[in-house]
Amino acid sequence: MEEVDNIIIHSLRQIGCDIEEEVDSLKSFTTELVIEAAVRCLDVIQPGHGLPHSLPDSMSARFRVGASIAQACKSLGYSGDIGYQTFLYSSESDVRRVFMFLIEKLPKESEKNIVEPTGRIGLLEKSVSETVRKQLASPWLPSYCRRRGIRWRDDGTWSREGCGHNQPFISCNLTVPKTATLKGEQSQAWREYYVHHLPVVTDQVLHPCQLIPSLITLNAKGLLTSSQQAHSLTSNWETARISQRVMESITRNLESCSTEPAPTALHMQGGNNKQRDLNSRFALSEKLQFTKELSSERKSQESGVQSTRPELVTGVERKRGKEEEMELAREEMDRLKERLESLQLDVKKLTAKLSQVVEEETSEERVLKDKEERQIVKKRTYDLLPDADTNLNKLQMLVESSAQKLVSLAAQWEKHRAPLLEKYRDARERNSNRASESQKKVDAVRNLREKGRELGEEVRHKEQLHAQLVTEYEKVTKDINRSAYTRRIMEIIGNICKQKEEIDKVLSDTKELQKEINNLTGRLDRSFTVADELIFRDAKKDETARRAYKLLATLHSDCGELVQMVEETGATIREIRDLEEQIETESVKNVGANLERISADLRQMKQETAALTAQLNAKS
């Protein structure tokens, strides 16, 4: 097993395990080293387990880590007996089986489909993704527990690595080019100042620690200004849009009512309603004018009475007049909407009725046309009735002549049809052949294009793989003696082949011996049967033959007992060998050392349990 252990140790060193040079077998592996090697193998095979590379101090956490590693190995397909004891209280044989399984599951060079980036942008993206992954995998810490980065204090100050002490949140005014300046809306002098003379923001602060607070303050001012401008523009636009919609609706309704036709029998009621609407419009204009006059009179009267507060009274009256005007306009708009909806409903009803009338008229015209055609036929028939015999003879002659014409026309058509049909069939056959040939050529061209595309993709993939292998080859140390490992592997393969040949030879010898034993046993049974029959036949008459028969039976039974004893002896020897192998296996497992380790862990768990119990009692 020395060669196997060396191969396992070499593979573990290649994936990043810190194994000392003095370690040359799995017997020298400690529990911490077994855990680290197993976790690294699992991370290479299937990343994302999130298992620690070292054992925690708590015994319960250790058991959880061991159980998690065992479960991960089972999920990969390990069929042997495995659990937390395999890693915490490991034996050499169990660890060797587990590591052999994990090393077989490691991805080979031919199975690496992911092409490593070689360019500057690809390496930057890879480093950024690795940093983000590590930060996401790291546990959350409060600000006062962080050793690096910005940390906020309870007194409103903050500190950053490199400043050396706590700094208050102090900002200074920063001058930056505005959007209007960048678009060219400012003067040429301002643009030249911003471009050539304005210092950068890092030079405008008095201390480097004031840069971040100053930038935060500048950004907050910009957001506040933009939100206020957007709010004012939105409110003005909404007010203008509402007033424009009201005026357009009133104008449209007035135009539609003023351009309506004269009232008919169907629209008398609508005319009355329109007259009332016009009266209401006149009333509305009078009310508006009267309201304006009243408001002006009130303003003149109240300006004389309350001369101490003219501006307040004028504002209140103006607001009240506007509200009344808006209320009247709103009521008029509601009435116009109701009137418009009723007119639209009437138009829909009349349109539906008109379509129904049109359909009825079309059907009646169709029926009338059919009746007229029938009437013409009947009239012609009635005209022929007075001279029926003569008309029948004429019709018979017409029918016969028409039949003869049809026969002659059919014969002529057949003469012309046969060569045309033959030409059509030849042309169709040539066209189908030409189409099949062109389709074959198109298919061949399409296949060639697809094959060329596949070959191009394969060439690009091979080039990327070649570049990746070149970079990996440059990173690999050149002092590894691969020929020694290859020679050792070939020696192991040769030994295995020799052992296989010897095993086959032993199996063939065993089969031959079994055949000879079976043949001898059959021959012995047949000989005993023949001798038994011969001696038993003579034993009825001769006393000597009777004694010989008894001795033969005794000899046969004694020989059977001897054969049985030999078989039992062989079985006992095999059991002894099995027990010796089991003893050797148990001796390799280091039961004594594992028992001492389990006892120490048990004492530690009892101490942890007692400490936790004491804490609970103290809290209660």
Side-chain angles (χ1 to χ4, degrees), residues 250-391:
I250 294 173
T251 305
R252 186 167 55 252
N253 293 327
L254 288 173
E255 289 178 355
S256 62
C257 293
S258 62
T259 57
E260 287 181 353
T264 60
L266 295 174
H267 299 86
M268 289 299 294
Q269 187 177 359
N272 296 330
N273 292 331
K274 291 170 189 173
Q275 187 65 32
R276 286 196 298 272
D277 293 339
L278 291 173
N279 294 333
S280 64
R281 291 193 195 98
F282 292 136
L284 175 61
S285 62
E286 290 178 358
K287 287 181 180 179
L288 291 173
Q289 186 176 3
F290 183 68
T291 303
K292 290 179 180 179
E293 293 176 357
L294 288 178
S295 61
S296 61
E297 290 177 359
R298 285 176 186 168
K299 288 178 182 178
S300 60
Q301 291 174 2
E302 290 178 0
S303 62
V305 177
Q306 298 179 356
S307 57
T308 57
R309 295 183 298 173
E311 295 181 357
L312 180 61
V313 174
T314 303
V316 171
E317 290 299 330
R318 188 183 298 110
K319 185 177 180 181
R320 188 179 303 167
K322 287 183 180 180
E323 290 178 354
E324 291 178 357
E325 291 176 2
M326 291 296 292
E327 186 66 27
L328 292 174
R330 194 178 293 108
E331 292 177 358
E332 183 64 21
M333 185 176 64
D334 294 338
R335 286 196 296 272
L336 291 174
K337 283 184 180 180
E338 293 176 359
R339 177 59 183 162
L340 181 60
E341 290 176 357
S342 63
L343 290 175
Q344 288 177 353
L345 183 60
D346 294 338
V347 169
K348 288 181 180 178
K349 291 180 180 178
L350 292 174
T351 305
K353 191 173 182 181
L354 178 61
S355 61
Q356 184 178 0
V357 170
V358 170
E359 291 178 358
E360 292 177 357
E361 182 182 0
T362 305
S363 62
E364 292 294 337
E365 288 179 355
R366 192 180 300 112
V367 172
L368 179 60
K369 188 180 293 184
D370 294 339
K371 288 182 178 181
E372 288 177 353
E373 292 177 357
R374 292 177 185 176
Q375 181 67 24
I376 292 169
V377 173
K378 288 181 180 180
K379 183 179 179 182
R380 290 180 179 178
T381 304
Y382 291 153
D383 292 338
L384 295 174
L385 285 177
D387 194 3
D389 296 333
T390 305
N391 293 326

Side-chain angles (χ1 to χ4, degrees), residues 78-89:
Y78 186 76
S79 58
D81 186 12
I82 190 171
Y84 67 89
Q85 71 279 356
T86 307
F87 302 97
L88 296 181
Y89 312 107

Side-chain angles (χ1 to χ4, degrees), residues 19 63 192 216 220 300 435 443 448 471-472 475 478 555:
I19 302 175
F63 287 127
E192 290 181 356
I216 293 172
S300 60
D443 294 337
L448 289 174
T471 55
E472 291 181 357
K475 293 179 182 178
K478 305 300 187 296
L555 179 63

Side-chain angles (χ1 to χ4, degrees), residues 35-36 39 42 50-56 58-72 83-84 87-88:
I35 294 293
E36 181 186 357
V39 171
L42 291 173
L51 297 172
H53 291 183
S54 60
L55 284 174
S58 176
M59 289 304 302
S60 58
R62 290 188 177 187
F63 287 127
R64 283 196 297 271
V65 170
S68 301
I69 297 173
Q71 184 63 33
Y84 67 89
F87 302 97
L88 296 181

